[in-house]
Structure formats: structure tokens, C-alpha cells
Amino acid sequence: MKNNIVTETFVDTADQNYLIARWAYHRGMFTDFFWNSVHSLEKYFKASMLLNGRSGKSDGNGKPYGHDLVKLLDAVSSYAGDLIPDELRQPDQLTDLSWRQESFAGYIARLNELGDANNRYNIYGYVQRWEDLSHLDQAVFAIRRLAFKLDADPFIGRPDPQGSQPKTVREMLIRFPDYSPRSNTSRLYKLLGARGDDELRDAGLRMNFVFAPDDYDHGLDRIKTGTSGSNPVLYRRIVAPVVHQ
């Protein structure tokens, strides 16, 4: 029952935030891209913590996590650090394009600032990199697969006469780094499946080299690289006019 409740309240809604983030990215709405990206990862982090006997509200000293992805990453790393990648890699399909390398922790810290609740109003502004979409996909894959009780039996006690099967979910994830639990039954995979909404499915799969099937046409000849940005509203409307008088 606990697994079902956490899945439906955290993982399923995080899946929707993730797809909305990708939809916003493809349409150039980067404020909503960053906000929904943070929302989705926050829920995946908290789902993992709840299913592994941790509080999703505050740390051992009673300090609340809130929406802080850096604090949540530290908390999850304390029991699943061996399952979190150090670096976000350049997809094989994009190796002929210029790529800004970033560590997993570095990306989480940067996203935490860009998707801060106050930045919903463009208080701080943003700089968007074209690598951000792939970085989000890899981060979602890495944390979403931790939203399980890691010391549980992955086969629910199914007989293993040869003793070759992984004994825990943790061992399964270590042995098969490309394996994603819930790959056949989750809301995310159903939304990305052949019967999903065409517009949402395309937004979820285009340039998604983690979740998309191998035969999906990403339109690689139409990929736009580079960065874009927006100065804070208060700077543009109050500070800049005074400076340039």
C-alpha cells in the first residue's frame, strides 16, 4: 500500500511534470521548463526517500528540505550514492556537436537556481543551454529508478535455483545500469507509448536519447545548438533604464 501511495502521489505526478518540462523546452518557454524540471526531480527524490525509510520533509536535524534539490541530492546520496552518476555524458548521437560537460551535482545545483520558486516570476532571469534538455533526461532516469525500496527482493521471492539472480533492487540496478523499473506499467511509459497523445509523445521523445526507442526519428538535422537567456524583469524595467539615462 505504501508503495502504491508514493507511486501515485509522487512518481506519477513527477512523470507529468517531466513531460510538461520537455514540452515547454521545445516551445521555447524556458521559465516553465526549469520550474517543471525542478518539480519533477524533487518528487522523484522524495519518492526514493520515503520508500527507503527516510523523511521527505526534513533532515535528521529537523531542517526542512523544501524544494531544495541540492539538499535532496545529498540526502539520497547518503544511501544510494553508488547508483548516482558522477558525470552527465554527451549522447552518442550528438558526439559531432560541441558539448559543455557538467557533473551531476553541478547540474543539480545550477537547475536548483534556475528553477527556484521565485524565478517563476523571472526574478533572477536565466541562461538556457542547449545541453540542458539531455541533462534533464539523464537526471530523471538516474533518480527515477531509485524510487524503490532498494533492499527489497526484485523478484518477490521467485525461486533462483542457480543463485544467479540479483537479490535486491540495488544489486539489480548496479548490475544493469540501463535498466529502469516500471518500464512497462508506469504512467510515463504509457504516455510515451504508441497510443499516447501525438503532441505530448513527440515532446517527450524528441532528442530524448534515454527514454526514446532506438528507431525514433529525432530530426537530428534540425537540432539547434547554443544558448539563450533572459535578464531579470526588475533589472530590465527599473535598473537598466536608470543606468542608461
Side-chain angles (χ1 to χ4, degrees):
M1 182 180 293
K2 180 178 180 179
N3 179 74
N4 289 339
I5 291 173
V6 171
T7 297
E8 291 182 27
T9 55
F10 286 87
V11 179
D12 287 352
T13 59
D15 288 346
Q16 295 179 58
N17 293 136
Y18 170 49
L19 291 181
I20 291 171
R22 293 191 108 262
W23 183 89
Y25 177 93
H26 287 304
R27 282 149 185 81
M29 297 187 292
F30 297 116
T31 299
D32 282 319
F33 166 68
F34 291 124
W35 169 244
N36 280 283
S37 296
V38 167
H39 240 34
S40 66
L41 285 169
E42 175 190 346
K43 292 176 182 178
Y44 293 131
F45 276 127
K46 290 182 176 178
S48 176
M49 293 163 67
L50 289 170
L51 291 174
N52 286 280
R54 272 71 173 179
S55 169
K57 295 183 65 176
S58 59
D59 63 19
N61 298 314
K63 296 181 179 179
Y65 294 119
H67 306 296
D68 194 323
L69 295 187
V70 175
K71 292 181 180 178
L72 291 169
L73 174 60
D74 287 343
V76 173
S77 295
S78 69
Y79 63 86
D82 55 337
L83 295 169
I84 298 174
D86 293 326
E87 297 287 328
L88 296 169
R89 64 177 182 80
Q90 182 172 3
D92 295 338
Q93 297 88 338
L94 304 177
T95 51
D96 58 338
L97 300 173
S98 116
W99 184 267
R100 193 173 309 189
Q101 197 68 24
E102 192 166 24
S103 69
F104 191 95
Y107 168 69
I108 291 297
R110 186 167 62 86
L111 179 62
N112 197 52
E113 295 180 359
L114 293 169
D116 181 275
N118 290 315
N119 217 23
R120 289 176 294 172
Y121 311 102
N122 201 18
I123 297 298
Y124 310 134
Y126 65 80
V127 174
Q128 170 269 330
R129 305 174 185 171
W130 81 278
E131 301 96 340
D132 285 336
L133 187 61
S134 183
H135 286 179
L136 173 64
D137 296 334
Q138 293 179 54
V140 165
F141 181 84
I143 302 306
R144 188 179 184 274
R145 69 201 294 260
L146 303 182
F148 286 86
K149 188 174 181 180
L150 296 176
D151 61 357
D153 181 352
F155 301 104
I156 319 178
R158 191 180 307 164
D160 180 16
Q162 298 181 346
S164 59
Q165 292 180 349
K167 300 299 187 293
T168 64
V169 172
R170 179 189 298 277
E171 186 181 339
M172 170 81 84
L173 297 180
I174 292 174
R175 193 182 301 187
F176 305 104
D178 295 328
Y179 169 68
S180 176
R182 294 195 186 95
S183 58
N184 296 320
T185 60
S186 71
R187 180 181 296 272
L188 175 61
Y189 283 86
K190 289 180 179 177
L191 290 170
L192 294 177
R195 296 182 181 178
D197 177 88
D198 288 343
E199 181 180 2
L200 189 59
R201 181 174 185 268
D202 179 65
L205 294 178
R206 186 151 42 104
M207 285 183 62
N208 192 337
F209 305 107
V210 178
F211 290 100
D214 293 339
D215 60 352
Y216 184 80
D217 181 9
H218 295 278
L220 297 180
D221 57 326
R222 302 190 302 274
I223 289 180
K224 296 180 180 179
T225 61
T227 63
S228 64
S230 174
N231 285 324
V233 173
L234 297 180
Y235 173 82
R236 286 189 282 110
R237 296 300 183 186
I238 298 176
V239 178
V242 173
V243 171
H244 293 96
Q245 280 183 351

